[in-house]
Amino acid sequence: METLSGDLFTKYADFIYEISGMRFSESKAYYLSSKISNRMNALAMNSFQEYYTFIKSPQAKATEHTLLMNEITINETFFFRNQPQLKDFEEYVLKPTLADLRKQGKSKIRIWSCAASTGDEAYTVAFQCMNLPEAKGFTVEIVGTDISRRAIEKAKAGIYTKYAIRNIPQDLMQRCFTRNEQDDTYIISDEIKRMVKFQEGNLMDASRIRMIGQFDIAFCRNVLIYFDEASKVVVLNNISSALHANGYLLVGHSENLYPQRDIFRQCKEMGQSLAYQKAETIKKANLIKLGLA
């Protein structure tokens, strides 16, 4: 297979950055070339230059841009990914948030899976809420967004392989999944599906983010590593605008938000939850502790 290089790789990388905010380095040239080749083959095109000319044309914007993003977006995930983090999220973030909402007389919690992929993360959080005594009496609304239309369609279908469900406890499997013996897949129950809504969403699109409303908690794990610093600032500001004042953002272990500490600051003493709050919220809390606010 031919691999993108030189000026043409740069053109593709810049184009993808322009429509998604994701920056591909030359170390990803083979991966990107293989994904673009899939679209070229589907359209019976013979060269990277031919396909590039096409995606830059006005007629490609309505459909082909989405199909290209479906190809290049990495959607490999599974249920209960990084269990130590999820355990500390439940203890240090979810339970206290539910307690605070109850004190305020509220009975609804909204949680956002910012890059939901095929839904594994969003449904995992639904499982956690379903089993938590502290969530009794609450309406739990989980919203999953992703730039890939194909991933969102899979999430809505809720059909998974053995690989995806391998970490799910057996009691949850029996209660919340039905096995399709013909192809050995597992279909998630309507009980769980009712807790989660999925829709397309680009984290760089502020207007789109505003449309999904305000949240108490947002998950954006293993996503920010695909953005350069400028795009990361845009994405984090968009997430911040969608969080309530005391809301939490959870990121992945490979992601460091210290350069963006004017937007989010990590909450200390929260185990491995990797929870952040808005910088102004942390500053205000510190001032209150010091008796200065």
Side-chain angles (χ1 to χ4, degrees), residues 80 83 127-128 130-132 165-178 189 191-192:
F80 289 95
Q83 294 186 60
F127 287 143
Q128 290 184 278
M130 179 186 71
N131 282 336
L132 206 60
I165 55 95
R166 67 188 188 277
N167 287 336
I168 300 178
Q170 191 58 38
D171 61 325
L172 282 180
M173 286 299 305
Q174 293 175 352
R175 175 180 173 183
C176 299
F177 286 86
T178 302
S189 69
E191 176 191 9
I192 299 300

Side-chain angles (χ1 to χ4, degrees), residues 107-109 111 125-126 129 135 138-142 194-196:
S107 58
K108 183 177 182 178
I109 183 170
I111 302 172
V125 177
C129 292
F138 272 85
T139 297
V140 177
E141 183 178 305
I142 301 167
R194 282 191 290 268
M195 298 171 66
V196 189

Side-chain angles (χ1 to χ4, degrees), residues 27-283:
S27 64
K28 297 288 186 180
Y30 182 84
Y31 170 83
L32 196 58
S33 300
S34 67
K35 297 301 183 181
I36 292 170
S37 293
N38 290 340
R39 291 307 309 149
M40 287 166 50
N41 292 336
L43 297 169
M45 292 185 177
N46 298 316
S47 70
F48 288 125
Q49 183 59 59
E50 182 184 6
Y51 182 68
Y52 179 75
T53 301
F54 172 63
I55 60 174
K56 291 291 288 184
S57 65
Q59 63 264 35
K61 187 173 183 179
T63 56
E64 188 58 30
H65 289 186
T66 296
L67 294 172
L68 176 60
M69 292 310 301
N70 285 345
E71 281 292 340
I72 67 173
T73 304
I74 299 170
N75 292 314
E76 183 177 346
T77 184
F78 49 90
F79 286 80
F80 289 95
R81 185 177 184 177
N82 198 325
Q83 294 186 60
Q85 182 184 15
L86 290 172
K87 181 180 178 182
D88 284 352
F89 152 71
E90 189 173 301
E91 187 66 30
Y92 297 110
V93 177
L94 183 55
K95 288 181 181 179
T97 297
L98 289 166
D100 288 343
L101 290 171
R102 198 180 295 277
K103 285 179 183 178
Q104 297 171 43
K106 297 179 180 179
S107 58
K108 183 177 182 178
I109 183 170
R110 296 191 82 226
I111 302 172
W112 179 21
S113 178
C114 297
S117 186
T118 51
D120 311 52
E121 177 181 79
Y123 287 132
T124 294
V125 177
F127 287 143
Q128 290 184 278
C129 292
M130 179 186 71
N131 282 336
L132 206 60
E134 288 84 350
K136 187 176 181 179
F138 272 85
T139 297
V140 177
E141 183 178 305
I142 301 167
V143 177
T145 60
D146 200 276
I147 196 172
S148 169
R149 183 177 300 170
R150 183 170 62 189
I152 290 298
E153 288 171 354
K154 288 183 178 180
K156 289 179 178 178
I159 301 173
Y160 297 94
T161 63
K162 279 185 176 180
Y163 175 85
I165 55 95
R166 67 188 188 277
N167 287 336
I168 300 178
Q170 191 58 38
D171 61 325
L172 282 180
M173 286 299 305
Q174 293 175 352
R175 175 180 173 183
C176 299
F177 286 86
T178 302
R179 181 172 176 245
N180 183 338
E181 295 186 3
Q182 290 185 337
D183 59 4
D184 199 21
T185 57
Y186 297 81
I187 307 166
I188 204 161
S189 69
D190 290 340
E191 176 191 9
I192 299 300
K193 282 185 177 180
R194 282 191 290 268
M195 298 171 66
V196 189
K197 299 176 182 178
F198 294 101
Q199 57 185 276
E200 285 183 67
N202 186 337
L203 292 174
M204 294 287 289
D205 188 343
S207 61
R208 181 72 172 174
I209 300 305
R210 283 195 293 271
M211 291 173 63
I212 62 176
Q214 295 282 296
F215 295 90
D216 302 292
I217 299 167
F219 280 82
C220 193
R221 300 191 298 169
N222 308 307
V223 179
L224 297 170
I225 54 175
Y226 298 106
F227 294 96
D228 67 4
E229 292 304 311
S231 296
K232 195 182 294 184
V233 168
V234 174
V235 168
L236 289 173
N237 274 316
N238 287 341
I239 294 174
S240 177
S241 70
L243 281 176
H244 292 302
N246 292 316
Y248 291 93
L249 167 65
L250 282 88
V251 302
H253 279 86
S254 61
E255 292 159 323
N256 176 18
L257 304 192
Y258 185 77
Q260 294 80 36
R261 59 192 178 280
D262 59 322
I263 308 173
F264 282 101
R265 293 194 180 181
Q266 189 170 7
C267 303
K268 305 298 183 182
E269 300 176 358
M270 283 196 166
Q272 298 184 56
S273 66
L274 293 178
Y276 287 73
Q277 282 189 303
K278 295 183 182 185
E280 58 264 32
T281 300
I282 299 281
K283 289 176 184 176

